[in-house]
Amino acid sequence: MDKTMKVAVIGAGTMGIGIAQVAAHAGHSVLLFDSRKDAVQKALDGLRRTMDRLVEKGKFTTEQANGLVERITPASDLEQLHVAGLVIEAIIEDLGIKKKLFSDLEKIIASDTVLATNTSSLSVTAIAAACQHPERVVGLHFFNPAPILPLVEVVPGLVTAPELPTRMVDLMAAWGKVPVQCKDTPGFIVNRVARPFYGESIRIFEEGIADMPTIDAALKSVGFKMGPFELMDLIGNDINFTVTRTVWEAFFYDPRYKPSFTQQRQVESGRLGRKSGRGYYSYADGTTPPSPTADPQLSAEIAERVLAMLINEAVDALFWNVASAKDIDLAMTKGVNYPKGLLAWANEKGASHWLSVLEHLQLLTGEDRYRPSPLLRRAAETNFALA
Ligand SMILES: NC(=O)c1ccc[n+]([C@@H]2O[C@H](COP(=O)([O-])OP(=O)(O)OC[C@H]3O[C@@H](n4cnc5c(N)ncnc54)[C@H](O)[C@@H]3O)[C@@H](O)[C@H]2O)c1
């Protein structure tokens, strides 16, 4: 797939315009389509402003910025996408609507056009099932903001053509992204492995062990750029709660992913985070952020508990062959800016240390939520390095 290949992006929302920018930056002509009338123009106006700022900052020349924006052409109907060699769908997260789109697209596009979905939480296999040729369908999961976060999860569905993931990995690398390949399982890598960062932190708060600023400070003290409550407020509690709930349901209600009442109540009350002016914290003008409790031992215990759950999740993803150890670590550092890969982090204290933290929590609570991955147990018994 070379630069002469035309790319079509469907959905001109947050992700669609970002993906269009990435493809145009890589030199492709891009067609951008949205079912909402003014959406494409609005998105292009926003991109123009972004590019102007990047020119002011000296990151692009005026020529480069103009060239990039001009390579993106609005498409007024779906039929215009027939010239595309790759179509990337970034529309509303609804299986029925995505399936209808993929089925309609197949009547328009060439027989060798690749159909990619940017879904975060749906099964690529289920979307592909709408197609006569499901072997041409693949997941390309970009992260928000797509032009800035390097990770792309490449996700073959059950019947995706065997050579397609490698072609997509090569293409994403050519676009300057960091591609990882993973199985079509709930949350892929990042949205699965990251769950305890939020879930276990909320649990620690619910148990009354520490307040939110103290938990945030504890995780920042071990290298995370933002604490979990600050980050949930940035992402939006509605979005974070939906991802948590979807992953939990998709795992057939595995207690490890169970959502919390704390977050549900935030959403119900409209405290969605920064975007609504109030989430776990207040963002009203003149509000001073609350101070954490200064207690180094408490801080270390909090970080250790959340980290043990994160490491267990990463090890379990490896156990179930969701992705390679290298890709699991890359995904967390390049998709959500973790300071280190979790498997590499596990090695620092060794698997038996993390196993004992989890066994202690399991003994204390009697809950399956804390069950150690069989691979963590094996690594502890045989003393092998996880990454
Ligand atoms: N926002 C994120 O952080 C993020 C990250 C990774 C992946 N995703 C996934 O990307 C997809 C898009 O998310 P988003 O946040 O950009 O959503 P968004 O709401 O910002 O944009 C979706 C766009 O799709 C358009 N649309 C809806 N139905 C359509 C149809 N049938 N045909 C054409 N256009 C249609 C809407 O008008 C809207 O402009 C979802 O599948 C989401 O799960 C989102």
Side-chain angles (χ1 to χ4, degrees):
M1 284 182 168
D2 58 26
K3 283 182 188 170
T4 59
M5 176 190 70
K6 291 194 168 43
V7 174
V9 177
I10 308 185
T14 313
M15 294 309 292
I17 188 64
I19 296 167
Q21 182 184 337
V22 171
H25 184 49
H28 296 274
S29 289
V30 180
L31 282 156
L32 183 59
F33 174 77
D34 198 289
S35 55
R36 243 186 327 124
K37 266 216 153 36
D38 55 346
V40 172
Q41 200 44 55
K42 268 198 178 152
L44 285 173
D45 292 346
L47 176 60
R48 182 80 262 176
R49 288 192 293 275
T50 306
M51 295 312 297
D52 287 347
R53 275 198 302 275
L54 292 172
V55 170
E56 271 166 33
K57 286 188 185 163
K59 307 242 163 155
F60 281 83
T61 64
T62 308
E63 246 177 30
Q64 286 170 329
N66 289 345
L68 188 154
V69 178
E70 280 159 18
R71 277 195 291 281
I72 306 176
T73 312
S76 50
D77 58 61
L78 214 53
E79 278 69 29
Q80 289 174 12
L81 309 189
H82 73 275
V83 291
L86 167 66
V87 180
I88 305 176
E89 165 278 308
I91 67 164
I92 184 173
E93 190 76 336
D94 179 298
L95 181 61
I97 298 176
K98 285 196 199 278
K99 283 180 89 161
K100 162 94 173 57
L101 175 68
F102 274 58
S103 156
D104 290 346
L105 274 170
E106 255 199 334
K107 294 171 198 136
I108 295 165
I109 54 171
S111 59
D112 58 351
T113 296
V114 173
L115 289 177
T117 172
N118 187 46
T119 182
S120 295
S121 60
L122 300 169
S123 141
V124 174
T125 305
I127 297 170
C131 293
Q132 300 282 331
H133 293 286
E135 64 279 3
R136 61 158 92 195
V137 178
V138 67
L140 285 183
H141 187 218
F142 290 78
F143 287 75
N144 185 17
I148 293 174
L149 286 174
L151 187 73
V152 179
E153 291 175 330
V154 177
V155 190
L158 189 67
V159 294
T160 300
E163 80 289 351
L164 190 52
T166 312
R167 268 171 71 204
M168 290 297 116
V169 163
D170 292 346
L171 183 71
M172 291 303 105
W175 286 10
K177 307 308 271 181
V178 175
V180 293
Q181 195 180 317
C182 62
K183 261 195 192 165
D184 187 11
T185 46
F188 308 135
I189 304 174
V190 169
N191 281 338
R192 169 196 196 135
V193 174
R195 298 279 37 93
F197 187 67
Y198 315 106
E200 198 57 20
S201 300
I202 295 175
R203 172 76 188 241
I204 290 169
F205 166 77
E206 286 180 338
E207 285 182 24
I209 293 169
D211 59 17
M212 293 170 189
T214 305
I215 298 167
D216 276 346
L219 284 148
K220 285 192 282 189
S221 77
V222 295
F224 290 96
K225 292 207 171 64
M226 291 180 84
F229 295 98
E230 293 167 342
L231 187 53
M232 284 185 278
D233 273 358
L234 181 70
I235 294 168
N237 284 303
D238 49 343
I239 290 175
N240 193 273
F241 184 67
T242 302
V243 176
T244 303
R245 198 186 179 122
T246 311
V247 169
W248 174 58
E249 286 168 1
F251 272 108
F252 308 115
Y253 305 101
D254 185 327
R256 214 152 67 193
Y257 307 106
K258 200 162 101 184
S260 70
F261 292 123
T262 296
Q263 194 170 34
Q264 186 176 25
R265 296 290 177 265
Q266 289 287 311
V267 177
E268 287 166 350
S269 71
R271 291 184 171 188
L272 304 182
R274 282 178 182 271
K275 63 185 173 188
S276 68
R278 169 88 227 210
Y280 292 114
Y281 299 114
S282 170
Y283 299 93
D285 283 347
T287 318
T288 349
S291 305
T293 307
D295 179 341
Q297 197 186 329
L298 175 65
S299 179
E301 280 168 16
I302 293 167
E304 178 128 300
R305 179 165 163 182
V306 176
L307 210 43
M309 289 293 274
L310 282 168
I311 285 169
N312 195 41
E313 206 51 55
V315 174
D316 212 43
L318 183 61
F319 175 69
W320 290 106
N321 288 308
V322 171
S324 67
K326 180 174 154 275
D327 280 0
I328 291 171
D329 272 4
L330 260 183
M332 304 316 285
T333 52
K334 302 294 180 187
V336 272
N337 276 328
Y338 278 20
K340 292 175 224 175
L342 291 165
L343 299 171
W345 214 335
N347 287 342
E348 289 177 11
K349 288 189 176 173
S352 50
H353 172 79
W354 300 110
L355 179 66
S356 70
V357 175
L358 289 162
E359 282 178 339
H360 177 68
L361 286 164
Q362 202 178 23
L363 195 70
L364 216 63
T365 61
E367 287 179 50
D368 197 32
R369 173 185 178 83
Y370 297 105
R371 72 182 186 275
S373 169
L375 186 60
L376 187 69
R377 205 175 280 289
R378 208 187 307 153
E381 278 162 10
T382 57
N383 214 9
F384 75 78
L386 288 155

